[in-house]
Amino acid sequence: MKILVAVKRVVDYNVKVRAKADGSGVETANVKMSMNPFDEIAIEEAVRLQEAGKAKEIVAVSLGVAACQDTLRTALAMGADRGILVETDVELQPLAVAKLLKAVVDQEQPDLIILGKQAIDDDANQTGQMLAALLGWAQGTFASRIEIGAGEINVTREVDGGLETIAIKLPAVVTSDLRLNEPRFVKLPNIMKAKKKPLAVLKPAELGVDVAPRLVTLKVQEPPKRQAGIKVDTVAILVDKLRNEAHVI
Amino acid sequence: MSILVIAEHDNAVLKAATLNTITAAAQLGSDITILVAGQGCGAVAEAAAQVIGVKKVLVADAPHYANQLAENVAALVVSLAGSYSHILAPATAAGKNTLPRVAALLDVAQISDVIKVESVNTFVRPIYAGNVLATVQSKDGIKVMTVRGTAFPAATATGGFATVEAVAAVADAGVSRFVSQQLTQSNRPELTAARIIISGGRGMGNGDNFKLLEEVADKLNAAVGASRAAVDAGFVPNDYQVGQTGKVVAPDLYIAVGISGAIQHLAGMKDSKVIVAINKDEEAPIFQVADYGLVADLFVAIPELSRELDQLKAAG
Ligand SMILES: Cc1cc2nc3c(=O)[nH]c(=O)nc-3n(C[C@H](O)[C@H](O)[C@H](O)COP(=O)(O)OP(=O)(O)OC[C@H]3O[C@@H](n4cnc5c(N)ncnc54)[C@H](O)[C@@H]3O)c2cc1C
């Protein structure tokens, strides 16, 4: 089986993101960038399938600016076999990413595609579902467990009421949730090895995809800050405040 | 404007999140249709027909809609989409699963987690865990979007008289099937509908200790939630998780116990009306958003809280 994994370069989850003063976007200058945490989980899952003898090749794909090569190198260090960067400076929205990925999938013909369920920058939670739709494939979103069977895969999904298991035919798209696995730390020798793994660079035009954004961001701004309240000394005072001041119990 | 709202339900009950989505729809226009796709979901359609503001209810009743498989529901929505300017669904696990698929098939963008309708084509949505709000304008012919329930009040559930109409099912895509589900059983209110929530974090130490919170919850008719750390550690099931990548809640009262207040957790609860934090570390960031903070060991404070609530009840 061949697995394709999509990885996104995002502002690191520890960074406190701020809006630019002119409202045109968020401050990204001198900000630490990392692989989207859900995508680390996606790569980890692919590597585990390979280690279990269930996958032959893992191709990592990233889309965006040239610096996404760093993200791909991380994926290669985690165990992906080769990388593909679809390079563009244009703002890529989920539909455009799904179309580009579809074009890559048409070339690569993987049996399984794993993506993170959401990217922690735009918090869209769309790309995997859109890609599945464009390919006409089944989707197993928000996966906390996958089990490869004959021609199909069982996906246990994190849903609002608990867990749900579905069986989907291969080829299929899976998106990872937090409990799918715990990604490994990359070891130095693997980082060195990753530098020698193949990494191809493509352009959207070569893939014949129009990536023009469909949504125009008019402004970004920070929401009103919540003010810290008071500290209370005892549980009795707390209960009294909740009852007689806040009127919530 | 003609707006299609995808109902959230379990074939028996119309879920409350649908009512919030209907309020968002009403801000776009008055021609509102609800789609109920399911199996044996007649009661849901009847409930939807009574919601104030709804004009028409479409029912697609077929076995392959029983479990809301995205491939089938999306194909159905696309078959109806031509008549609508907007297609909305609650930003729930089901809505987030299906709606991007609909959008891609229609070759339009999808707008996630709308918290404000500025006009028929301009919307506000949180990004970066709600650290910033983006105002976006859609250039697409059909606007497809999920609606964050906490940002819109619920539409009135009864008193309306919408017409109910059956629509033809689209053939089963045949690529996916439902196998089983493990739903968390609880007699407490649902997290996203509760007026009071008490959540526990890593500080709870283990799953057994959540009983302390459950005891308080039962006295307050509250729901129990958790941080990611508590879920990852296996203290409680995944559906308890509140936050950027879990559930977004905004109850009247949110009590955070043994939770540090990471930005990803705050993203899911900072719009609560009143926030209480109980944490033994007075520097914990959760105190920066708490209306009432109590620096204490939770294993002392929570049993005490439980006793105080008993006294309150005894006093009437
Ligand atoms: C991609 C991604 C998505 C995420 N999504 C979410 C999400 O949706 N929701 C979420 O919650 N997190 C999420 N997180 C995780 C988040 O970053 C934090 O790691 C998590 O919220 C921490 O949980 P916690 O506060 O329970 O644990 P900790 O940060 O370890 O805090 C435990 C707290 O308990 C206190 N404590 C310990 N013992 C006691 C005691 N006896 N009495 C009183 N207080 C005590 C400590 O002082 C401490 O403040 C996400 C992270 C990533 C990377």
Side-chain angles (χ1 to χ4, degrees):
Chain A
M1 186 162 78
K2 178 169 172 178
I3 305 178
L4 192 137
V5 182
V7 294
K8 185 175 185 183
R9 177 178 180 265
V10 299
V11 172
D12 186 81
Y13 81 98
N14 268 318
V15 173
K16 169 100 182 67
V17 171
R18 304 209 167 278
K20 284 187 187 153
D22 66 358
S24 64
V26 301
E27 211 50 83
T28 50
N30 303 317
V31 163
K32 183 178 177 210
M33 305 296 284
S34 303
M35 185 190 295
N36 179 40
F38 286 96
D39 305 347
E40 287 181 8
I41 298 173
I43 286 278
E44 176 67 31
E45 195 65 14
V47 174
R48 289 186 190 191
L49 286 169
Q50 193 179 47
E51 287 167 348
K54 293 190 172 129
K56 254 214 190 87
E57 192 188 20
I58 303 167
V59 182
V61 186
S62 193
L63 310 96
V65 296
C68 295
Q69 292 210 14
D70 299 344
T71 316
L72 282 171
R73 291 289 170 202
T74 305
L76 296 172
M78 287 179 75
D81 297 299
R82 59 191 172 88
I84 299 174
L85 170 63
V86 181
E87 190 186 325
T88 172
D89 292 333
V90 175
E91 175 206 342
L92 290 178
Q93 295 179 352
L95 182 62
V97 174
K99 287 181 178 180
L100 290 169
L101 283 171
K102 179 184 181 293
V104 173
V105 168
D106 288 343
Q107 291 180 0
E108 294 285 337
Q109 303 281 320
D111 307 281
L112 178 65
I113 307 170
I114 313 179
L115 304 86
K117 80 160 179 184
Q118 95 190 49
I120 59 163
D121 50 5
D122 62 18
D123 282 332
N125 192 337
Q126 299 175 6
T127 305
Q129 296 89 313
M130 288 183 154
L131 175 59
L134 297 176
L135 289 164
W137 293 7
Q139 66 188 51
T141 54
F142 326 149
S144 68
R145 190 183 145 82
I146 64 176
E147 222 176 314
I148 311 272
E152 64 174 25
I153 124 176
N154 271 7
V155 180
T156 300
R157 309 179 51 235
E158 295 200 358
V159 294
D160 291 335
L163 295 172
E164 171 193 90
T165 302
I166 57 172
I168 56 177
K169 281 204 177 134
L170 290 169
V173 173
V174 166
T175 73
S176 59
D177 214 318
L178 294 169
R179 261 68 61 175
L180 185 58
N181 60 51
E182 222 177 288
R184 67 196 63 195
F185 287 105
V186 270
K187 300 198 192 80
L188 192 60
N190 291 343
I191 295 176
M192 302 312 288
K193 259 194 261 168
K195 289 190 176 146
K196 300 203 185 89
K197 291 186 181 178
L199 195 162
V201 180
L202 302 171
K203 293 275 152 89
E206 290 170 57
L207 294 168
V209 176
D210 171 16
V211 295
R214 302 296 186 82
L215 298 176
V216 183
T217 301
L218 301 181
K219 64 172 183 235
V220 301
Q221 60 192 146
E222 290 172 25
K225 287 268 172 302
R226 202 179 167 111
Q227 296 300 321
I230 57 164
K231 290 252 171 66
V232 292
D233 290 328
T234 67
V235 174
I237 299 174
L238 174 64
V239 169
D240 177 64
K241 294 275 188 200
L242 293 178
R243 175 80 160 200
N244 300 314
E245 189 176 273
H247 305 292
V248 286
I249 62 170
Chain B
M1 299 305 118
S2 46
I3 303 115
L4 181 68
V5 174
I6 321 291
E8 170 111 4
H9 66 92
D10 58 4
N11 294 313
V13 179
L14 180 71
K15 292 288 168 72
T18 315
L19 301 176
N20 308 98
T21 307
I22 291 171
T23 298
Q27 295 178 7
L28 293 162
S30 57
D31 186 4
I32 300 173
T33 301
I34 310 293
L35 172 65
V36 178
Q39 183 184 27
C41 51
V44 178
E46 271 167 43
Q50 290 176 38
V51 180
I52 301 281
V54 176
K55 264 213 176 131
K56 197 197 281 182
V57 177
L58 302 178
V59 194
D61 196 323
H64 57 282
Y65 298 137
N67 299 102
Q68 305 297 320
L69 291 167
E71 298 79 9
N72 289 329
V73 177
L76 173 70
V77 175
V78 169
S79 78
L80 303 165
S83 319
Y84 302 95
S85 57
H86 296 75
I87 300 176
L88 277 57
T92 53
K96 290 175 180 177
N97 188 35
T98 303
L99 227 55
R101 199 165 172 113
V102 170
L105 293 171
L106 294 172
D107 192 27
V108 300
Q110 196 237 251
I111 307 159
S112 297
D113 272 309
V114 169
I115 58 166
K116 192 165 175 229
V117 172
E118 297 235 304
S119 76
V120 294
N121 65 9
T122 306
F123 312 97
V124 180
R125 59 173 305 262
I127 53 175
Y128 292 94
N131 273 318
V132 271
L133 305 178
T135 304
V136 296
Q137 190 165 68
S138 166
K139 297 199 274 186
D140 289 315
I142 303 179
K143 279 83 179 158
V144 177
M145 55 206 217
T146 59
V147 173
R148 181 171 284 194
T150 53
F152 297 88
T156 308
T158 54
F161 302 93
T163 55
V164 179
E165 221 175 83
V167 291
V170 174
D172 185 352
V175 291
S176 52
R177 86 195 133 79
F178 172 81
V179 176
S180 63
Q181 61 186 13
Q182 247 181 291
L183 300 186
T184 305
Q185 301 300 330
S186 162
N187 297 323
R188 286 179 211 103
E190 276 187 36
L191 257 182
T192 49
R195 209 181 60 78
I196 301 178
I197 295 173
I198 182 161
S199 285
R202 200 195 309 268
M204 296 304 296
N206 61 44
D208 252 2
N209 290 336
F210 263 77
K211 292 207 182 86
L212 297 170
L213 302 187
E214 288 167 5
E215 199 182 302
V216 171
D218 289 337
K219 290 175 188 174
L220 291 169
N221 189 30
V224 178
S227 71
R228 173 190 175 184
V231 175
D232 280 5
F235 300 172
V236 287
N238 62 283
D239 52 294
Y240 280 46
Q241 184 182 315
V242 170
Q244 178 188 16
T245 61
K247 289 192 173 118
V248 177
V249 299
D252 288 348
L253 173 60
Y254 188 91
I255 308 175
V257 184
I259 292 178
S260 62
I263 186 75
Q264 292 87 3
H265 188 77
L266 301 185
M269 45 65 79
K270 70 175 156 55
D271 292 329
S272 303
K273 215 161 98 193
V274 174
I275 297 174
V276 169
I278 300 177
N279 196 305
K280 67 178 181 190
D281 171 11
E282 65 175 323
E283 302 291 318
I286 189 77
F287 287 122
Q288 292 164 19
V289 299
D291 299 283
Y292 301 106
L294 178 67
V295 180
D297 185 334
L298 71 93
F299 295 105
V300 176
I302 298 300
E304 210 177 316
L305 175 59
S306 187
R307 285 193 298 275
E308 287 283 342
L309 291 173
D310 285 339
Q311 279 181 19
L312 210 60
K313 197 160 184 200

